[in-house]
Amino acid sequence: MPAVNNVLVVGSGLAGAATAIHLASRGVAVDLLEIKPDVAALGSGITLQGNALRELRTLGVWEQVAAAGYAFDVTGIRAPDPHGSVLAEIPDAKTGGPDLPAAMGMPRPELARILCDRATEVGVKLRHGTTFTELTQDDDGVDVTFSDHSTHRYDLVVGADGLRSWTRRALGINLETRSIGMGIWRAFGPRPASVTRTDLYYGGPSFIAGYCPTGEDSLYAYIVEPAQDRSALSPAEQLATMRQLSEAYHGPWDEIRETLTDPSRVNYTWFETHVLDEPWNRGRVVLIGDAAHTCPPTIAQGGAMALEDAVVLAELLTERTVLDQDLWDAFHARRYARAKTVVDASNTLAQWQLDHVQGDAPALFRQIAELTSQPA
Ligand SMILES: Cc1cc2nc3c(=O)[nH]c(=O)nc-3n(C[C@H](O)[C@H](O)[C@H](O)COP(=O)(O)OP(=O)(O)OC[C@H]3O[C@@H](n4cnc5c(N)ncnc54)[C@H](O)[C@@H]3O)c2cc1C
């Protein structure tokens, strides 16, 4: 018998959906709560590294992911010069194993849809447009009050509700989330034939300009600048700003720029970071994914770390028979240092750019690749 019989998972992002799928596949009754009214129709793209793909395969969605995404095994480094000259072509580490691509671009809404469909297929009760208003726990369970005033008692609550986690707040945990000083413009649009992998342009007027193919017909492009308050800009002005910043970048960027015409596909956000000291649980409520640790996407590992938290937690909950301190110790031993190392490395890479310091980026990437090549 598993250590838990019924679980509430708050948040249907990568961490929450993966936890729910794994638990329900192994016979646990799971309610998955999502505050958004539906799976988003619009969104940006995400780069999934090999170790994220390995975990998606364990969820039984690899074929759908492979069909919807765009795989590549090399990252290009280009110069911010008039030709977008290729400076290097770096083979990406196959951190998910030799039988998986090194990386894959995916439209975020497509990935969310695949995971929600899989969750429903394995028996998860997915409730959109709902949240909780109160959590009260004792030694044997957690009583949850929902926003529709209904109540239910669970053996465990998993807070997978992202960066500004309500669950974390409900536990009374004060965690400082800090801006690291960078902001990112992202646009989702059509893929020119010249874009077949991620290329990164370091330098020029912005810190980084890049793009990632997310399917035969789509890509997302991004430009990282010093963080500033862009909230007063109208959508049309946001689009114009991103286009203007992109004018310093050439090669495939010349074609991408021409497709930047839809203000609703442009988004601006700051890079933020935090790591919650272990333990990530308070009694029978545990935080995972961005709710516990978040990093700038300089290594594109946030999604992978969220998936790994989910897989490890679900494995321990279903392979053990008691939810005790031993289980939590095993969870933290497998997750805390690994996630913190990834966050620290991501922050270091960002800081080198902010300080215009030439750090040993290849060594840092190698260190993270070696770590993430080991199963979580
Ligand atoms: C600009 C940017 C680019 C990034 N690029 C990449 C990348 O290329 N590759 C990568 O691996 N990572 C990337 N990341 C990081 C990655 O997006 C996150 O690490 C990952 O999505 C975390 O997943 P999660 O499930 O923990 O949280 P989330 O994806 O934030 O999911 C949380 C879910 O909980 C829901 N929720 C919130 N509050 C409540 C509530 N009260 N009740 C119910 N539901 C609630 C939300 O609606 C959401 O669906 C990027 C991050 C940023 C900011």
Side-chain angles (χ1 to χ4, degrees), residues 9-17 33-36 45-49 52 108 127 130-132 159-167 184 186 220 267 269-272 288-297 299-307 309:
V9 180
V10 185
S12 71
L14 290 173
L33 206 60
E34 172 54 54
I35 199 166
K36 285 189 223 133
I46 187 165
T47 305
L48 297 165
Q49 304 292 355
R108 282 183 185 253
R127 296 167 63 189
T130 317
T131 188
F132 68 91
D161 45 355
L163 192 63
R164 304 197 202 291
S165 168
W166 289 31
T167 312
I184 184 169
R186 282 179 297 171
Y220 72 104
N267 163 280
T269 189
W270 285 8
F271 288 169
E272 295 177 289
I288 62 169
D290 271 14
H293 49 80
T294 194
C295 53
I299 321 183
Q301 271 290 337
M305 290 298 108
L307 287 166
D309 285 352

Side-chain angles (χ1 to χ4, degrees), residues 127-172:
R127 296 167 63 189
H128 274 108
T130 317
T131 188
F132 68 91
T133 53
E134 208 179 326
L135 302 175
T136 317
Q137 59 172 315
D138 55 40
D139 287 348
D140 302 321
V142 191
D143 291 304
V144 181
T145 307
F146 296 98
S147 46
D148 63 3
H149 307 297
S150 61
T151 57
H152 200 79
R153 186 170 169 84
Y154 295 92
D155 293 339
L156 175 73
V157 173
V158 179
D161 45 355
L163 192 63
R164 304 197 202 291
S165 168
W166 289 31
T167 312
R168 198 175 63 228
R169 201 171 347 136
L171 291 172

Side-chain angles (χ1 to χ4, degrees), residues 269-311:
T269 189
W270 285 8
F271 288 169
E272 295 177 289
T273 187
H274 64 217
V275 179
L276 179 62
D277 286 339
E278 55 183 326
W280 292 346
N281 75 301
R282 298 291 183 272
R284 288 175 172 265
V285 183
V286 63
L287 302 172
I288 62 169
D290 271 14
H293 49 80
T294 194
C295 53
T298 41
I299 321 183
Q301 271 290 337
M305 290 298 108
L307 287 166
E308 288 185 3
D309 285 352
V311 169

Side-chain angles (χ1 to χ4, degrees), residues 31-42:
D31 287 345
L32 177 57
L33 206 60
E34 172 54 54
I35 199 166
K36 285 189 223 133
D38 211 337
V39 180
L42 294 184

